[in-house]
Amino acid sequence: MLKNMCLIVCFNQMIKCNFTRLMEKNSTTEEKIKQAARKVFTQKGYAATRTRDIAEESGFNLALINYYFRSKEKLFDIIMTEEISGFAEKVVAIVNTATTGFYEKVEQIADTYISFLIDHPGVPLFIINAMNDDPKKFFSKMGFNPKTEPPIVLMQLLEILIQEKRNVHPMNIMMNIMGMIVFPFLATPIAQRIGNMSKSELMFVLEHRKKMIPVWTKAIIEAS
Amino acid sequence: MLKNMCLIVCFNQMIKCNFTRLMEKNSTTEEKIKQAARKVFTQKGYAATRTRDIAEESGFNLALINYYFRSKEKLFDIIMTEEISGFAEKVVAIVNTATTGFYEKVEQIADTYISFLIDHPGVPLFIINAMNDDPKKFFSKMGFNPKTEPPIVLMQLLEILIQEKRNVHPMNIMMNIMGMIVFPFLATPIAQRIGNMSKSELMFVLEHRKKMIPVWTKAIIEAS
DNA sequence: GTCTATAAAGTGATAGAC
DNA sequence: GTCTATCACTTTATAGAC
């Protein structure tokens, strides 16, 4: 009988423990505050958000922000680092594979990124601001340092340009590719106001870009 | 003798007056504060700049900002409006002429804009932030309202796309053109760090873009 | 862990002397 | 017009009760 009781208690403990482990990632106070911070920081930027905004958005008290994260800046750094890795890690893998060719990589990047950005349209502006605000900090958070070898895509592109005797700086091509992927998410208001586009129309245009960016890239290189 | 004195005084007054008129546009206190404000606002954005920063940058006292401009926000609005018109007015003229063709316009815009942006590299990020921060305010300051007819370029592009039976949304082409012009100025840190480019190298690349953007545009359209 | 209350510093704006 | 001094308010951060 005693043994049975013990087992039940043990079992309940186990359930509780696993349940907690499963839930905690999304429902801890700490995590809730982080989610609130991510939302507000992404929307308004560092300077314009007050810790009170984050507290309100999280549903918790102002003091808890400092209890969990020490300061506004430390919290921001965590969010920034996460956003950067979320943005970068997808691409780093693709960009540094030797087994795929250049155009194949462009295809993968365009597809992966645009899908990601459709779900996180505020990320590009957030990242570009963080990058311009403090480049050194940004690239170190990104795990990039001057000694890092240039990514394989860049080498592959260079090879194509040399082989085909194109007269362009590879960075000019890379900027076009990055711009084609990212710019629409910076200029959404233009599309909406001047282009007079509805949300679904914008969606259609963005989906179309996934397919077209590799094609356009090829055309750009061949015209150079 | 009295008459001579009078003439001299008059003459001196005239000199002084004209001299003042010539100088005042650049050396009035008001103008100096505006220049300081432009610099700081463009560098750090509205929320992150303190009126004290502007005062220090201008060389004048904090109180003079309110004396001349009533409030931080009113000063910002003036700067924003000026930046927007400076950025827009160049293009509006080009974009709405019926006498030039589409590709000719792209040529002119690329050339004019990139030259302008080389001298004012902080403007694109400033404008994009202002636009995303408060689109309604932004477009009204820009003199654009929903009733405004779409610019002539857009019509000309549409005509080309229909005539050549291209299967793209015109906005997709416009975003590429805008992105090709503007994106390098948002991503300068990438070029410098990852591309490891010196300032002169970056300059060379940017100059090359002036010529290439029309060519690339044509290639993109023909590949669509 | 979470709250209330408050300290400590910052920030926009103004009054008043010169 | 320009400055110093200061007010009024906001904002980050912490102390201490529960």
Side-chain angles (χ1 to χ4, degrees):
Chain A
M1 184 59 189
L2 186 68
K3 202 177 166 189
N4 265 351
M5 276 294 283
C6 243
L7 277 174
I8 289 170
V9 170
C10 253
F11 185 68
N12 283 345
Q13 276 291 18
M14 215 176 78
I15 296 279
K16 195 181 165 194
C17 184
N18 280 323
F19 184 73
T20 309
R21 201 181 299 149
L22 279 169
M23 293 301 286
E24 76 187 358
K25 203 189 158 189
N26 296 316
S27 65
T28 331
T29 302
E30 188 174 340
E31 190 57 33
K32 276 179 185 165
I33 292 175
K34 264 172 65 175
Q35 281 172 16
R38 178 157 27 246
K39 182 173 172 185
V40 185
F41 278 139
T42 316
Q43 252 171 32
K44 315 211 283 182
Y46 178 75
T49 92
R50 298 162 306 152
T51 49
R52 282 168 168 76
D53 299 332
I54 298 172
E56 198 180 339
E57 177 71 34
S58 75
F60 288 103
N61 186 278
L62 174 64
L64 285 187
I65 291 173
N66 296 81
Y67 175 76
Y68 281 108
F69 301 97
R70 300 272 306 171
S71 76
K72 176 189 174 185
E73 201 184 345
K74 285 198 170 52
L75 174 54
F76 180 78
D77 272 7
I78 290 171
I79 300 297
M80 193 183 85
T81 308
E82 285 185 7
E83 294 289 275
I84 292 173
S85 2
F87 190 72
E89 78 186 8
K90 280 176 194 55
V91 121
V92 170
I94 297 171
V95 144
N96 272 322
T97 321
T99 55
T100 54
F102 175 75
Y103 289 112
E104 212 175 328
K105 284 193 180 64
V106 175
E107 243 173 77
Q108 287 176 15
I109 295 171
D111 190 71
T112 316
Y113 257 83
I114 292 181
S115 296
F116 171 74
L117 293 180
I118 285 173
D119 291 330
H120 306 83
V123 169
L125 189 52
F126 178 84
I127 296 226
I128 282 186
N129 274 318
M131 181 174 74
N132 280 279
D133 197 51
D134 190 345
K136 201 175 164 186
K137 184 175 172 185
F138 177 84
F139 284 107
S140 87
K141 295 258 174 213
M142 205 175 140
F144 182 88
N145 65 67
K147 291 172 197 161
T148 312
E149 284 191 13
I152 294 180
V153 238
L154 212 60
M155 294 322 218
Q156 291 178 321
L157 171 60
L158 199 60
E159 209 173 313
I160 290 175
L161 296 181
I162 292 172
Q163 205 166 344
E164 300 183 4
K165 291 177 181 164
R166 306 294 176 192
N167 190 26
V168 242
H169 196 294
M171 190 47 69
N172 252 334
I173 304 295
M174 291 307 295
M175 286 207 262
N176 286 346
I177 298 171
M178 290 187 286
M180 286 194 291
I181 293 171
V182 162
F183 188 76
F185 295 93
L186 301 169
T188 313
I190 294 180
Q192 289 175 331
R193 299 251 167 178
I194 298 189
N196 207 24
M197 290 170 71
S198 67
K199 196 165 180 179
S200 62
E201 212 177 343
L202 186 64
M203 227 50 188
F204 175 79
V205 165
L206 289 175
E207 282 296 330
H208 193 217
R209 290 182 84 78
K210 285 190 196 173
K211 282 174 262 160
M212 293 314 292
I213 286 174
V215 179
W216 290 334
T217 303
K218 198 162 194 169
I220 285 172
I221 291 179
E222 283 169 1
S224 294
Chain B
M1 185 57 188
L2 183 68
K3 201 178 166 187
N4 267 351
M5 276 292 282
C6 245
L7 277 174
I8 289 170
V9 170
C10 253
F11 185 67
N12 284 343
Q13 275 292 15
M14 213 174 81
I15 295 278
K16 195 181 165 195
C17 184
N18 280 324
F19 183 74
T20 308
R21 201 180 302 148
L22 280 168
M23 294 301 285
E24 74 188 1
K25 202 191 161 189
N26 297 316
S27 65
T28 331
T29 301
E30 187 175 339
E31 189 59 31
K32 278 179 183 164
I33 292 176
K34 262 172 67 175
Q35 281 171 15
R38 178 157 27 245
K39 183 174 172 185
V40 185
F41 277 140
T42 316
Q43 252 170 32
K44 313 212 283 181
Y46 178 77
T49 93
R50 297 162 305 152
T51 49
R52 283 167 169 79
D53 298 332
I54 298 172
E56 196 180 338
E57 176 72 34
S58 75
F60 289 102
N61 187 277
L62 174 65
L64 285 187
I65 292 173
N66 296 82
Y67 175 77
Y68 281 108
F69 302 98
R70 299 275 306 172
S71 76
K72 179 189 174 186
E73 200 184 345
K74 284 198 171 52
L75 175 53
F76 179 78
D77 272 8
I78 289 169
I79 300 297
M80 192 182 87
T81 308
E82 284 185 9
E83 293 290 275
I84 292 173
S85 1
F87 189 74
E89 77 187 7
K90 281 176 193 56
V91 120
V92 170
I94 298 172
V95 144
N96 273 322
T97 322
T99 55
T100 54
F102 174 75
Y103 289 112
E104 212 174 327
K105 285 192 178 68
V106 175
E107 245 173 77
Q108 288 177 14
I109 294 171
D111 190 71
T112 316
Y113 258 84
I114 291 180
S115 297
F116 171 74
L117 293 180
I118 285 173
D119 292 330
H120 305 82
V123 170
L125 189 53
F126 177 84
I127 297 224
I128 282 185
N129 274 318
M131 183 175 73
N132 280 280
D133 197 52
D134 190 344
K136 200 173 164 185
K137 184 176 172 185
F138 177 84
F139 285 107
S140 88
K141 294 260 175 212
M142 205 177 140
F144 181 88
N145 63 66
K147 290 173 196 158
T148 312
E149 284 192 14
I152 294 180
V153 240
L154 210 61
M155 292 323 219
Q156 292 177 322
L157 171 60
L158 198 61
E159 208 173 315
I160 290 175
L161 295 182
I162 291 171
Q163 207 167 343
E164 301 183 3
K165 291 176 185 166
R166 306 294 175 193
N167 190 27
V168 243
H169 196 294
M171 190 46 69
N172 252 334
I173 303 296
M174 291 308 294
M175 286 208 260
N176 286 346
I177 298 172
M178 291 188 286
M180 288 194 290
I181 294 171
V182 161
F183 188 77
F185 296 93
L186 301 170
T188 313
I190 293 181
Q192 289 175 330
R193 301 251 166 176
I194 298 190
N196 208 23
M197 290 171 71
S198 67
K199 195 164 180 178
S200 64
E201 212 178 344
L202 186 64
M203 227 52 188
F204 175 79
V205 164
L206 289 175
E207 282 295 332
H208 192 215
R209 290 183 82 79
K210 285 189 196 172
K211 282 174 262 157
M212 292 314 292
I213 286 173
V215 179
W216 290 334
T217 303
K218 197 162 193 169
I220 284 172
I221 291 179
E222 283 169 1
S224 296

